[in-house]
């Protein structure tokens, strides 16, 4: 069986071995661990895209013919300063239930250019009161993030940090240098991967990795996974991506980790929403793309929320802030389910009832 550094990349392959095969290790005299060849196949999501398409990097979506708006929102939303303040208080005061001192760690996982880093910066911008780029962002075809980075979302000036940590890793796809495997993703979720680990084909997460966490505690693990997909690319993603997402979700679900999804770039597919984000839940185009995102990810649309990240803007917009904060609140609801499911079972002293 080939070891991880010798195996050849099979671009068209998206199949993984079982989780047990991923974890199997061989004696120390041999390579640190052995994995079936299909497991170490890179999640190269650009493999089914021609080189011409990559080079041109042309817009992946053109606006369809205008469609009449829905008469009412298909999800209830309040677009007010009061709602923003309420959501900010909810997020900033959040602390994981039943686990004092632990922060909620959420892993953002998605294709290169889907908006993971932009989402982190956008959320932090809301609390900073101005647009900032805390997580550096690359181009739509190249992943700027190369390592595991954890961003503690800070509260408003003078307030304590929130109980939320957003974790960023290299995007799926984007060429052979991405080097992201199922093994590495699961190592991050299980808490074995050290902060700052740089993902590469020759250095997978293993026991010899500098800083490797042999016995991760609750504070080291991921408590929820948020998939991030670009609404303007849903129709042009490689055919194998849907299979990849389903296999990822299966292995992550086996770890009892709840998953949600963010649909980014909604302003790129709906002119009305681009002008006024409050129209997001009246847009038939976005509603339809939400359904397509659900099909791609293999999940109900009730787990998916649309967001508009800050990109070219220099000032915040209260309505956009509300949409971002609602997305964070959505993530925290599912994150807290992890802590509820893993709440410590206290067995107090038996009462002497005199029986």
């Amino acid at each position: 069986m080939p070891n991880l550094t010798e195996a050849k990349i099979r671009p068209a392959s998206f199949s993984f071995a079982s989780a047990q095969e991923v974890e199997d290790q061989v004696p120390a005299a041999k390579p640190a661990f052995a994995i079936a060849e299909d497991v170490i196949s890179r999640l190269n999501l650009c493999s089914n895209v021609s080189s011409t398409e990559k080079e041109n990097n042309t817009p992946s979506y053109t606006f369809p013919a205008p469609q009449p708006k829905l008469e009412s929102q298909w999800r209830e939303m309040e677009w007010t300063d009061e709602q923003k303040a309420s959501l900010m208080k909810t997020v900033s005061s959040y602390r994981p239930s039943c686990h004092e001192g632990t922060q909620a760690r959420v892993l953002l996982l998605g294709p290169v250019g889907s908006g993971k880093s932009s989402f982190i910066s956008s959320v932090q911008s809301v609390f900073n009161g101005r647009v900032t780029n805390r997580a550096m962002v690359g181009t739509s075809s190249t992943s700027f993030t190369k390592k595991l980075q954890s961003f503690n979302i800070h509260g408003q000036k003078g307030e304590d940090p929130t109980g939320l940590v957003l974790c960023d890793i290299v995007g799926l796809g984007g060429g052979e240098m991405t080097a992201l495997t199922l093994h590495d993703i699961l190592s991050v979720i299980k808490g074995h991967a050290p902060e700052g680990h740089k993902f590469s084909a020759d250095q997978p997460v293993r026991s010899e990795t500098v800083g490797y966490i042999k016995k991760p505690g609750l504070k080291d693990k991921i408590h929820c996974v948020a998939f991030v997909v670009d609404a303007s690319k849903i129709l042009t993603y490689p055919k194998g991506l849907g299979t990849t997402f389903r296999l990822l979700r299966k292995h992550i679900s086996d770890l009892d980790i709840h998953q949600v999804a963010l649909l980014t770039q909604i302003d790129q597919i709906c002119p009305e929403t681009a002008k006024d984000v409050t129209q997001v839940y009246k847009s038939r185009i976005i509603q339809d793309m939400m359904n397509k995102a659900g099909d791609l990810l293999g999940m109900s649309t009730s787990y998916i929320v649309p967001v508009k990240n800050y990109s070219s803007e220099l000032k915040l917009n209260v309505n956009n802030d509300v949409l971002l904060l609602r997305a964070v609140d959505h993530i925290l609801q599912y994150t807290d389910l992890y802590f509820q499911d893993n709440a410590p079972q206290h067995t107090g002293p038996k009462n002497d009832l005199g029986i």
Side-chain angles (χ1 to χ4, degrees), residues 110-118 121 133-149 151 168-174 177-178 197-199:
V112 170
S114 58
K116 300 184 287 86
S117 300
S118 293
S121 292
N133 290 311
R134 189 175 178 201
M136 294 186 180
V137 181
T139 66
S140 61
S141 60
T142 305
S143 180
F144 194 95
T145 306
K146 303 296 183 183
K147 58 187 179 180
L148 173 62
Q149 293 180 284
F151 295 89
D168 197 9
I169 61 174
V170 60
L172 305 175
M177 294 307 292
T178 295
H197 174 76
K198 189 173 182 179
F199 298 94

Side-chain angles (χ1 to χ4, degrees), residues 88-282:
M88 288 185 71
K89 182 178 180 180
T90 297
V91 174
S92 61
S93 63
Y94 171 80
R95 296 296 181 272
S97 59
C98 306
H99 293 279
E100 294 184 5
T102 300
Q103 293 178 300
R105 291 173 56 80
V106 177
L107 177 64
L108 302 182
L109 192 60
V112 170
S114 58
K116 300 184 287 86
S117 300
S118 293
F119 177 73
I120 294 172
S121 292
S122 296
V123 171
Q124 187 59 73
S125 295
V126 175
F127 285 95
N128 287 350
R130 58 188 176 87
V131 176
T132 56
N133 290 311
R134 189 175 178 201
M136 294 186 180
V137 181
T139 66
S140 61
S141 60
T142 305
S143 180
F144 194 95
T145 306
K146 303 296 183 183
K147 58 187 179 180
L148 173 62
Q149 293 180 284
S150 301
F151 295 89
N152 190 330
I153 301 302
H154 297 287
Q156 292 178 285
K157 189 174 182 179
E159 293 184 355
D160 293 332
T162 70
L164 173 65
V165 176
L166 296 177
C167 303
D168 197 9
I169 61 174
V170 60
L172 305 175
E176 295 182 1
M177 294 307 292
T178 295
L180 188 63
T181 64
L182 175 65
H183 169 81
D184 280 351
I185 292 172
L186 295 181
S187 294
V188 171
I189 293 173
K190 293 177 181 179
H192 294 300
E195 179 70 14
H197 174 76
K198 189 173 182 179
F199 298 94
S200 70
D202 299 325
Q203 297 183 0
V205 179
R206 53 186 177 183
S207 58
E208 288 79 8
T209 297
V210 176
Y212 180 85
I213 303 172
K214 186 176 181 180
K215 295 182 179 180
L218 190 66
K219 65 180 180 62
D220 304 305
K221 299 178 180 179
I222 294 298
H223 310 124
C224 180
V225 171
F227 290 100
V228 184
V229 290
D230 184 338
S232 68
K233 297 179 182 177
I234 292 290
L235 301 179
T236 60
Y237 276 134
K239 294 180 180 179
L241 180 56
T243 301
T244 298
F245 276 133
R246 284 172 170 78
L247 289 171
L248 281 170
R249 294 198 61 231
K250 177 183 181 300
H251 285 284
I252 296 171
S253 295
D254 287 343
L255 298 176
D256 296 324
I257 304 296
H258 294 277
Q259 300 141 61
V260 297
L262 305 175
L263 183 68
T264 63
Q265 301 284 13
I266 55 173
D267 54 313
Q268 296 299 311
I269 66 170
C270 177
E272 292 298 323
T273 301
K275 296 176 184 176
D276 180 4
V277 75
T278 65
Q279 302 303 305
V280 58
Y281 286 122
K282 288 185 178 181

